Amino acid sequence: AYYMARFQTFCAETLKLPLDHFRFRQHLPKEMAHYAKDCWDVEILTQHGFIECIGIADRGSFDLTSHATHANVSLAHDVSVEPYEVTRLSLDIHRVAIQKEFRKASRLLLDTLKELSSNPSILSQLKESLQKDAKVDLSLFSPSLPSPTLLTKDHIEIHTFTETLSTKKVVPSVVEPSVGINRLLFAVLQNHFWTRGERSTRTVLSLPPLLAPYPIHLTSIDSPSPELAELIEATRLAFSSSTSRPCLILPDHWRIGRKYAVSDALGVPFTVTFEPELSTATIRDRDSGEQVTVSLSSLSSTLLSLVTRPDFFSSLL
């Protein structure tokens, strides 16, 4: 659930996908791998319908349990819990009586009893046999012993005791999120691509500032004067230094309309057009086409807010 919530936030707020353009789909039991306890896909709507772009698999404790088995180490973790009682069985071995009766075979018998003492299921069966028949054939539980190997209460005793515990051993589970970058990029580009105008000749790529290759386009209406060119370069350096992001600068001789069209097609969210009087600049929003004028003294902080705060442009209107 945690990773599903994180990926929902990622799709809605980072990728800016409409809520009805992505969904979660749970795998059917026959679709899941043998190790998976549960598995969900994030599917995004494209021209081919919903396609899988992200997978979230709950692998349970399969990985750590398998590793612990093959490495012969315990990877269980003690977790504090509310005190609880457990009933256990303990095996008391009367070594002297066993050695006296079984002599040379006593060593193998004692080793076998030591090994069986950690198995609650076998201890329960031994106790039941001793109570019912007053004896037990230990060869039934260990093929290495001669048959029969009969033990009585003179040789072993099994007691029941209650223990209070405040910890519980838990093998951590593993959740495996996987993201297919090719499909995800395809889905994002297709969801943010559209055309402007009735003739559909001007393409727009509405990438959010975080994903846009160039978050800002710097330009002027006409070919800039030396002072204006110096100001544009200073703004570019200041923005790149504070954000580690590049700015788009197109050829000076292009008309402003062509520059807008190219920057829209490249997915640049904002175009900053410097005025000839060197006191103000106009910021144009790519998707709405709306423009707002700001002073050069506040331009640097404004640009930083535009690329870090999703709804900042609307506050400037």
Side-chain angles (χ1 to χ4, degrees):
Y2 169 79
Y3 286 98
M4 292 175 68
R6 289 296 299 270
F7 279 120
Q8 178 170 335
T9 301
F10 172 71
C11 290
E13 298 184 9
T14 303
L15 303 183
K16 298 299 182 183
L17 297 174
L19 291 179
D20 59 345
H21 280 215
F22 68 92
R23 67 187 183 186
F24 290 94
R25 186 185 73 84
Q26 187 177 24
H27 282 207
L28 298 174
K30 64 180 181 180
E31 295 179 280
M32 293 191 294
H34 67 280
Y35 53 77
K37 295 179 63 179
D38 197 7
C39 191
W40 291 77
D41 288 338
V42 179
E43 299 180 334
I44 301 177
L45 183 62
T46 69
Q47 66 184 29
H48 305 294
F50 281 95
I51 62 173
E52 172 196 346
C53 295
I54 299 171
I56 311 168
D58 179 3
R59 299 173 66 97
S61 59
F62 173 82
D63 298 277
L64 296 183
T65 300
S66 299
H67 182 75
T69 300
H70 289 86
N72 196 28
V73 296
S74 174
L75 296 177
H77 179 66
D78 288 328
V79 178
S80 297
V81 295
E82 291 292 329
Y84 64 99
E85 291 186 347
V86 294
T87 300
R88 301 186 186 278
L89 296 176
S90 66
L91 174 64
D92 288 343
I93 303 173
H94 301 161
R95 291 178 172 273
V96 175
I98 290 176
Q99 290 171 342
K100 183 177 180 179
E101 181 171 340
F102 292 93
R103 299 185 180 276
K104 292 183 179 181
S106 64
R107 182 172 182 177
L108 176 60
L109 182 55
L110 291 172
D111 290 341
T112 301
L113 287 171
K114 183 179 179 180
E115 182 179 344
L116 298 180
S117 65
S118 60
N119 191 320
S121 176
I122 292 180
L123 289 183
S124 179
Q125 296 177 58
L126 293 178
K127 182 178 181 180
E128 183 179 351
S129 296
L130 286 173
Q131 290 177 339
K132 181 180 179 181
D133 304 322
K135 61 182 178 179
V136 60
D137 184 1
L138 203 63
S139 65
L140 297 176
F141 303 93
S142 177
S144 61
L145 295 175
S147 178
T149 301
L150 300 177
L151 299 181
T152 67
K153 294 181 180 180
D154 294 332
H155 305 112
I156 59 172
E157 290 183 273
I158 301 175
H159 303 285
T160 302
F161 69 97
T162 300
E163 184 179 6
T164 301
L165 302 176
S166 59
T167 61
K168 186 176 182 180
K169 289 193 175 296
V170 175
V171 178
S173 295
V174 173
V175 176
E176 179 190 16
S178 57
V179 180
I181 188 63
N182 291 339
R183 291 187 183 185
L184 187 62
L185 182 59
F186 167 73
V188 168
L189 291 176
Q190 190 167 101
N191 273 273
H192 288 295
F193 179 85
W194 54 286
T195 56
R196 196 194 305 273
E198 296 181 359
R199 291 182 299 174
S200 300
T201 56
R202 289 188 57 180
T203 59
V204 181
L205 190 58
S206 295
L207 295 175
L210 183 63
L211 300 182
Y214 299 98
I216 299 292
H217 168 213
L218 301 178
T219 187
S220 60
I221 296 178
D222 300 314
S223 294
S225 63
E227 293 81 4
L228 188 54
E230 184 178 340
L231 176 59
I232 293 175
E233 178 62 13
T235 304
R236 183 190 70 81
L237 291 175
F239 179 81
S240 298
S241 176
S242 60
T243 63
S244 298
R245 304 285 303 278
C247 295
L248 176 66
I249 298 180
L250 296 173
D252 294 333
H253 65 275
W254 285 8
R255 291 178 293 105
I256 190 65
R258 183 182 180 185
K259 293 179 181 179
Y260 285 163
V262 171
S263 64
D264 289 349
L266 293 175
V268 184
F270 304 103
T271 293
V272 180
T273 305
F274 290 86
E275 304 297 337
E277 63 272 16
L278 304 178
S279 61
T280 60
T282 301
I283 301 176
R284 172 185 177 270
D285 178 65
R286 172 200 58 208
D287 297 337
S288 66
E290 294 180 312
Q291 300 185 18
V292 62
T293 301
V294 298
S295 64
L296 294 184
S297 60
S298 62
L299 182 60
S300 294
S301 60
T302 300
L303 295 182
L304 183 60
S305 297
L306 284 173
V307 299
T308 56
R309 296 165 58 183
D311 300 321
F312 183 75
F313 183 82
S314 60
S315 69
L316 298 176
L317 298 175

